[in-house]
Amino acid sequence: MALKDIMVKLEMNSPNQTWVSESASDKNDLFYKIKHRIHGRIVEEINLAVLDEMSHEEVKPEVSRIVERFLEDEKVLLNVGERRTLVEEILDELMGLGPLEPLLKDDSISDILCNTYLNVYVERMGILEKANCRFADNAHLLNIIDRIISRVGRRVDESSPMVDARLPDGSRVNAIIPPAAIDGPLLSIRRFGAKPLRMEDLINYKAINSEIAEFLADCVQAKLNVMISGGTGSGKTTLLNVLSGFIPSKERIVTIEDSAELQLQQKHVVRLEVRPPSIEGSGEITQRDLVRNSLRMRPDRIIIGEVRGPESFDMLQAMNTGHEGSLTTIHANTPRDSLTRLESMILQTGINLPERAMRFMVSSALDLIIQVARLTDGSRKIVSVSELVGMEGNIITLQEIFVFEKRGIDKKGQVMGRFRATGIRPNFADRLELSGIKIPDDLFSPEKVYE
């Protein structure tokens, strides 16, 4: 089927005019004006429902013909490269996410940040740089945002100007529009590769050492309750995804997320996602609701994408009542800070627990805290592995098992350092051995340095 078969009519009847460019900026603006006009004409005149059923290869020849006709009628001078780019971008507008499409196809990009329609930034290898693209105007950016969130049943408008969503590949999307965003719509996309990272990739990137990686895999297989702590963009979700890969395939896994982004490879996985309230303010499903419901679903493992509120109380209760091997992440700069955050989240439930009882519940539920960080050179590393030992008075006792020691910065600006053991043998080491896991005798030796 050709595009001409589904078009009702397409008449380029605007008055002839010659576009004159006086500067690079004017030329850039001209290009976007042309693209916007051609795209607008096509959208007005074709059957979009039928267009969705057509392939990129079927549509491209007709779009190329329309572009050539428009440029000839309008007497616009563009070179061959600009014409080819114009055709590709119009196809992206018709069948994808417009200016975002080339960025989403670039596997080296981990973040896409749109600061209104004019400025688009991307992150490569932890370093931000400005992208060579933009939107036609704020209305164009709003249209792309609406296209993204409508796919997952979300909405954004003046009454609800903030929204979280996801792309089909699991990439996390956040959008905020006026009046909450003063200068115009803002869009942030946290990319997830089509091929999920494995532990071997983290070792190759020097985010972790092979011996420590094997130890963490053993902890997951032995059903220890693990919490991953770190700041924004430090790799918490990536590490959670990697560690979940060591859960035996015979176990039933229930994942609970604010916006579904985990990419588990096991077959027996049940995925749950929160739902925001409707425009009438009803129908909301919170993470706490999902955690409570998951306990009735006969889970072997419960994985919570990130604890950020009252659901932390129900998660800790589940860990303390037979649901071992749970995994989750939390925003915090240090392992000690993550415990403080957990306490504040428990208080959000409104349950008046004594401080000591609350801390005892945390210390008895969690076995391991893994701290991840994004360093100054953009690299992400596991900087600490700590065990929760128990209580000393009213204080939760932590002991660090492995640590990453920074040793300076080289001439290229890369952080130099090494992983090492602290010399402390964790209390749960016997539990690993009872599970049939053999621990090397020198794994926790203080003389052991992992370069």
Side-chain angles (χ1 to χ4, degrees):
M1 182 185 292
L3 187 63
K4 60 184 178 182
D5 296 330
I6 61 171
M7 295 183 63
V8 182
K9 63 178 181 177
L10 181 61
E11 298 179 357
M12 301 296 184
N13 54 7
S14 56
N16 290 346
Q17 50 187 310
T18 302
W19 297 85
V20 180
S21 174
E22 298 181 353
S23 66
S25 177
D26 293 336
K27 184 176 180 180
N28 195 36
D29 289 339
L30 167 64
F31 181 87
Y32 284 101
K33 287 178 182 177
I34 294 171
K35 186 183 77 171
H36 189 59
R37 289 183 61 190
I38 297 176
H39 174 252
R41 293 284 184 130
I42 294 175
V43 169
E44 289 176 1
E45 304 296 339
I46 66 174
N47 185 339
L48 293 177
V50 178
L51 182 66
D52 289 339
E53 301 175 359
M54 299 174 63
S55 69
H56 189 278
E57 290 72 22
E58 289 176 311
V59 178
K60 186 173 182 178
E62 284 300 326
V63 171
S64 299
R65 182 184 62 80
I66 293 168
V67 169
E68 293 294 337
R69 195 166 124 209
F70 179 89
L71 297 179
E72 182 180 347
D73 290 347
E74 298 289 339
K75 293 184 172 58
V76 178
L77 299 178
L78 294 179
N79 61 38
V80 175
E82 290 171 332
R83 288 170 185 254
R84 187 183 302 115
T85 301
L86 184 60
V87 171
E88 289 296 330
E89 292 197 8
I90 290 175
L91 282 170
D92 289 339
E93 294 289 347
L94 288 171
M95 310 187 73
L97 298 178
L100 298 179
E101 281 297 320
L103 305 180
L104 292 171
K105 294 173 184 175
D106 188 343
D107 292 336
S108 67
I109 294 176
S110 57
D111 282 275
I112 302 172
L113 309 170
C114 304
N115 302 343
T116 71
Y117 75 97
L118 276 175
N119 299 308
V120 179
Y121 290 86
V122 298
E123 180 187 281
R124 286 187 175 91
M125 302 302 292
I127 305 299
L128 280 176
E129 58 186 66
K130 191 168 184 179
N132 186 28
C133 67
R134 47 163 278 196
F135 296 84
D137 50 33
N138 280 331
H140 184 199
L141 176 53
L142 276 171
N143 179 264
I144 297 298
I145 291 173
D146 186 64
R147 195 178 301 178
I148 293 172
I149 65 175
S150 61
R151 293 175 177 175
V152 291
R154 302 290 174 93
R155 65 179 180 86
V156 63
D157 50 39
E158 288 188 2
S159 63
S160 180
M162 297 179 291
V163 66
D164 288 311
R166 67 177 185 277
L167 296 176
D169 65 357
S171 298
R172 183 191 313 164
V173 178
N174 175 267
I176 179 167
I177 68 172
I182 297 174
D183 299 319
L186 306 174
L187 176 66
S188 304
I189 300 177
R190 173 66 53 80
R191 294 286 314 284
F192 288 92
K195 183 180 179 182
L197 292 179
R198 305 179 69 86
M199 188 63 84
E200 294 80 11
D201 299 312
L202 299 189
I203 295 171
N204 292 335
Y205 293 146
K206 298 183 178 179
I208 190 174
N209 171 270
S210 58
E211 287 92 340
I212 301 175
E214 185 176 352
F215 170 75
L216 294 182
D218 292 340
C219 290
V220 173
Q221 291 174 350
K223 305 195 77 170
L224 268 62
N225 292 322
V226 179
M227 184 167 69
I228 302 167
S229 169
T232 301
S234 58
K236 298 186 301 298
T237 303
T238 299
L239 180 58
L240 178 63
N241 214 50
V242 169
L243 292 180
S244 67
F246 296 104
I247 298 175
S249 57
K250 64 182 180 180
E251 296 186 9
R252 176 176 170 86
I253 306 170
V254 178
T255 69
I256 299 168
E257 300 175 82
D258 186 51
S259 181
E261 56 195 18
L262 290 173
Q263 299 170 297
L264 274 65
Q265 303 305 304
Q266 292 88 339
K267 292 183 179 180
H268 200 167
V269 178
V270 180
R271 305 171 71 205
L272 306 179
E273 184 181 44
V274 305
R275 185 177 72 180
S278 66
I279 194 169
E280 294 86 9
S282 61
E284 180 181 16
I285 301 175
T286 66
Q287 280 205 135
R288 190 176 189 189
D289 297 329
L290 295 178
V291 172
R292 289 175 171 177
N293 189 80
S294 69
L295 302 180
R296 306 184 185 100
M297 299 173 69
R298 199 254 174 226
D300 290 309
R301 307 270 187 153
I302 298 175
I303 300 178
I304 303 177
E306 180 185 340
V307 286
R308 59 180 69 186
E311 71 275 0
S312 59
F313 177 75
D314 301 277
M315 177 195 72
L316 294 171
Q317 277 196 317
M319 291 178 177
N320 276 319
T321 54
H323 293 87
E324 298 174 321
S326 298
L327 303 172
T328 189
T329 72
I330 190 170
H331 270 277
N333 293 325
T334 66
R336 179 63 63 183
D337 288 346
S338 69
L339 299 178
T340 303
R341 279 214 68 204
L342 270 181
E343 291 179 27
S344 65
M345 291 175 188
I346 294 172
L347 294 175
Q348 292 178 28
T349 62
I351 300 173
N352 189 20
L353 273 179
E355 185 179 81
R356 179 175 174 78
M358 181 166 52
R359 292 179 178 176
F360 181 80
M361 180 173 67
V362 172
S363 66
S364 61
L366 292 172
D367 298 303
L368 200 66
I369 298 179
I370 305 171
Q371 185 70 36
V372 294
R374 181 166 60 175
L375 306 183
T376 54
D377 60 356
S379 63
R380 297 167 172 86
K381 293 189 185 296
I382 294 176
V383 296
S384 173
V385 178
S386 303
E387 178 192 17
L388 281 81
V389 181
M391 297 280 293
E392 286 188 6
N394 287 331
I395 305 299
I396 299 175
T397 304
L398 283 173
Q399 59 183 20
E400 206 165 40
I401 305 169
F402 299 104
V403 64
F404 176 76
E405 289 183 338
K406 292 171 63 175
R407 306 179 69 182
I409 299 177
D410 63 17
K411 294 180 180 179
K412 295 182 180 180
Q414 302 295 311
V415 174
M416 298 184 298
R418 62 183 186 179
F419 298 98
R420 72 171 181 85
T422 61
I424 297 175
R425 180 182 174 87
N427 292 343
F428 57 72
D430 294 337
R431 182 173 164 188
L432 297 183
E433 293 182 346
L434 289 174
S435 300
I437 297 169
K438 177 65 177 176
I439 300 177
D441 294 334
D442 63 343
L443 180 64
F444 308 113
S445 172
E447 288 80 25
K448 184 86 171 181
V449 175
Y450 305 99
E451 295 292 347

